[in-house]
Amino acid sequence: MSNAAVTAATSSRAADAGKSALARLGEAFVGRLVILIPYLWLVFFFLIPFVIVFKISLSQTAIAIPPYTPVLGFGDGLAGFFAQLKQLSIDNYTWLTQDALYVNAYVTSVIVAAISTVLTLVVGYPIAYGMARAPAMLRPTLLMLVILPFWTSFLIRVYAWIGILKPEGLLNQILLATGVISQPLIILNTYTAIFIGIVYSYLPFMVLPLYSALEKMDYSLIEAAKDLGCPPTSAFWKITFPLSLPGVIAGCLLVFIPAVGEFVIPDLLGGSQTLMIGKTLWNEFFANRDWPVSSAVAVILLLLLIVPIMLFQRAQARAQEEDK
């Protein structure tokens, strides 16, 4: 081979190596960008707002716009910043621990959210199981029916339940007409109405993770258990339920986390007598105009939800590992 041919071949290999190196750099940049975008989203729409709320929670109420003393601002220079830093206090958090109203609101919210989550699981599991065992051609339609309520405004759907549950509403009219009851039931403006509203509103968040877990399950295991003489009930608790546990955990957390801070459903269906932290937060922020205390309420609520959020993330990671 001539020197010219060798030189050309060497140049071609060098060019290919350069292109492959550029391609690898491009792929690495795209991979980093894909990871960076969610982190930027969390920083701008979660971390920064949380820092602002936390900063307000350390301030004091004032007759001004906004109604709190300025804190941690650089308008007066570095010396002014350090002077404001010395004025920060945890009086708002101390006030929350001393007032039984807020403690009861937190406890009630957690209890209501936990009961609602259990009820949603009891209602949603059979639905998800039936969808997973349905013929493959019917599953897309069933999924659409589960998602269909999201096509209507959440507020309109909650208002519809007022018309159903009120003493002269549709439910009482049907029960009175069929002779099941002799006088109207008082359901609206009670915790029962709150449970109904939360279960109805958050049912798709329970059904979809459960369906995802049950649809991928190997049902030949159930047939093998039946062949070995295992009763259907025992087969469910020993095979089906353990295999669907990632979906159960994900669904429960997707319902429990927003239900703790729910405001619209307790306000419209529970009435003024119900005590939940979402309503308390709204009253402090808009009625009392006490932004520092309401910010402290929001910060503590977020800290209470960190544990279930971490559990949800762990369940998601475990589910992804099982998919692999």
Side-chain angles (χ1 to χ4, degrees):
M1 182 181 295
S2 63
N3 293 334
V6 172
T7 303
T10 303
S11 301
S12 177
R13 287 194 295 270
D16 292 339
K19 291 180 181 179
S20 61
L22 290 175
R24 288 195 298 270
L25 289 175
E27 293 176 356
F29 175 76
V30 172
R32 296 285 181 85
L33 185 62
V34 170
I35 297 174
L36 184 62
I37 290 176
Y39 280 103
L40 290 176
W41 178 275
L42 290 175
V43 167
F44 282 104
F45 296 101
F46 175 76
L47 182 59
I48 294 178
F50 173 76
V51 171
I52 294 174
V53 171
F54 181 69
K55 182 184 71 170
I56 296 174
S57 70
L58 298 176
S59 64
Q60 299 295 327
T61 305
I63 302 177
I65 299 177
Y68 61 89
T69 57
V71 289
L72 301 182
F74 290 95
D76 298 329
L78 193 59
F81 174 82
F82 284 108
Q84 294 177 5
L85 188 62
K86 296 178 181 179
Q87 297 175 0
L88 298 181
S89 67
I90 59 172
D91 292 344
N92 297 315
Y93 294 95
T94 306
W95 166 259
L96 295 182
T97 59
Q98 295 175 349
D99 195 332
L101 171 68
Y102 302 103
V103 177
N104 294 335
Y106 282 117
V107 173
T108 304
S109 298
V110 172
I111 293 174
V112 170
I115 296 175
S116 302
T117 302
V118 173
L119 294 175
T120 308
L121 177 62
V122 172
V123 175
Y125 202 103
I127 297 174
Y129 186 82
M131 292 171 55
R133 297 302 300 268
M137 61 181 301
L138 291 178
R139 292 175 189 174
T141 303
L142 296 175
L143 277 174
M144 185 192 69
L145 292 176
V146 172
I147 302 172
L148 191 62
F150 288 118
W151 295 7
T152 307
S153 171
F154 173 75
L155 193 61
I156 293 176
R157 288 186 280 128
V158 176
Y159 269 112
W161 275 105
I162 297 178
I164 296 173
L165 299 177
K166 63 184 180 180
E168 64 275 11
L170 179 63
L171 178 62
N172 279 311
Q173 288 181 6
I174 294 175
L175 294 177
L176 289 171
T178 56
V180 177
I181 58 175
S182 57
Q183 57 182 4
L185 298 175
I186 305 300
I187 302 177
L188 193 64
N189 296 333
T190 64
Y191 282 102
T192 301
I194 296 177
F195 294 141
I196 294 173
I198 293 178
V199 171
Y200 165 76
S201 300
Y202 292 104
L203 186 61
F205 295 104
M206 180 67 73
V207 172
L208 294 178
L210 287 172
Y211 168 76
S212 177
L214 291 169
E215 193 268 339
K216 294 180 292 185
M217 194 181 76
D218 185 4
Y219 288 96
S220 63
L221 298 173
I222 305 296
E223 297 176 0
K226 291 180 180 179
D227 294 339
L228 294 173
C230 184
T233 305
S234 299
F236 172 79
W237 288 111
K238 293 180 179 179
I239 299 174
T240 304
F241 189 79
L243 291 177
S244 65
L245 202 55
V248 172
I249 296 174
C252 288
L253 291 174
L254 284 174
V255 174
F256 177 80
I257 291 171
V260 172
E262 181 61 51
F263 162 71
V264 175
I265 294 174
D267 186 58
L268 296 181
L269 300 182
S272 59
Q273 301 301 318
T274 57
L275 181 63
M276 291 188 68
I277 198 61
K279 290 184 60 178
T280 305
L281 178 61
W282 189 92
N283 289 330
E284 288 291 348
F285 199 90
F286 292 100
N288 299 338
R289 297 283 293 174
D290 195 341
W291 286 23
V293 170
S294 60
S295 298
V297 172
V299 170
I300 293 179
L301 177 61
L302 180 61
L303 294 178
L304 287 175
L305 294 178
I306 284 178
V307 173
I309 290 173
M310 293 176 61
L311 292 175
F312 173 70
Q313 292 178 342
R314 182 176 298 179
Q316 290 292 96
R318 186 179 303 172
Q320 293 177 358
E321 291 178 359
E322 291 178 357
D323 292 339
K324 296 178 181 179

